[in-house]
Amino acid sequence: MKFSHGAAARMAAATLGGLVLVGTAGAAVAAEVGDDQNVDVNVQIAPVDGPGSLSLTVAGTSSTLTESASGNPEVRQFDGTLPTVTVTDTRELADIPADHFWYVVGQASAFTGPGDARIPAANLGWTPNLVDEGDTGLVLEGEPVGTAEDTGDDAVGLVDKELLYAAYESSALKAGGETSWTANAALVLKTDAGVTPGAYSSKLTLSLFEDAVDPGQP
């Protein structure tokens, strides 16, 4: 049923008058009749067809390290695996800048534990591993990164952005018909034998970048 503006005005006037009259006798209280009824409102929104993108996904939000033999009585070692990391390129070949390449890096925060106990990020290292590099041979894994308990030039831990894997040239990969590539890494945490026992946690941040090849490089 539809009401005209005039009818609505008359109803409002009648209601107002009623309230004035009732107000002289006492307050009016509205009583709810029956139960409330709910209506679910749903909508299906289709994805927008766009020019595509270069994106990063990770198959999991956590990794648990378990203790293993370190071979050194002064060092405790804990091993685990980084969840699979996938780079996907859905762009058209014409939309990919020439002489650009992409790369994925990881950087960890210090482990925080019971009380004020901390284990520096330098104590966490990894060994990258390509799971699916495609057929072009243009994707490579990063070098192993040792921990502060190791020796050598790579014993720096995941303090700074360390390479997980990278592509030589984005457009060449696309021209080869490839659209996604995956990698993971063996994680290792090494501490001194006197580390405070308890539960520790660290945040390992994975980032995808695309950059231009330096024309000065050989």
Side-chain angles (χ1 to χ4, degrees):
M1 181 183 295
K2 299 179 63 176
F3 296 104
S4 66
H5 290 297
R10 288 194 296 275
M11 290 177 63
T15 302
L16 179 60
L19 286 175
V20 171
L21 292 175
V22 172
T24 60
V29 178
E32 182 177 0
V33 179
D35 298 327
D36 292 337
Q37 300 296 310
N38 300 317
V39 176
D40 293 330
V41 180
N42 305 301
V43 61
Q44 179 68 37
I45 300 177
V48 177
D49 292 331
S53 64
L54 180 67
S55 61
L56 172 73
T57 56
V58 182
T61 58
S62 65
S63 177
T64 300
L65 308 182
T66 56
E67 188 160 13
S68 63
S70 70
N72 184 344
E74 301 298 325
V75 174
R76 297 184 68 177
Q77 178 172 327
F78 306 84
D79 298 327
T81 303
L82 180 72
T84 300
V85 178
T86 301
V87 173
T88 303
D89 194 347
T90 59
R91 298 172 295 180
E92 297 294 332
L93 180 58
D95 296 327
I96 300 176
D99 299 324
H100 276 59
F101 68 100
W102 56 257
Y103 56 99
V104 178
V105 296
Q107 182 177 21
S109 66
F111 285 81
T112 57
D116 295 326
R118 293 170 66 86
I119 301 173
N123 289 60
L124 179 67
W126 71 7
T127 300
N129 171 57
L130 282 175
V131 178
D132 184 359
E133 60 186 289
D135 299 322
T136 63
L138 296 176
V139 178
L140 70 159
E141 61 195 25
E143 295 292 327
V145 177
T147 78
E149 296 289 343
D150 297 312
T151 59
D153 294 338
D154 67 345
V156 295
L158 300 181
V159 175
D160 294 320
K161 294 180 175 68
E162 298 291 343
L163 180 65
L164 178 64
Y165 67 134
Y168 280 111
E169 189 176 347
S170 301
S171 59
L173 282 174
K174 193 67 176 183
E178 299 180 9
T179 58
S180 67
W181 310 267
T182 57
N184 59 22
L187 300 175
V188 58
L189 174 69
K190 293 184 179 181
T191 71
D192 64 82
V195 64
T196 301
Y200 288 79
S201 63
S202 167
K203 179 182 291 185
L204 177 53
T205 301
L206 297 163
S207 304
L208 170 65
F209 294 92
E210 187 171 48
D211 202 353
V213 176
D214 185 348
Q217 291 181 344

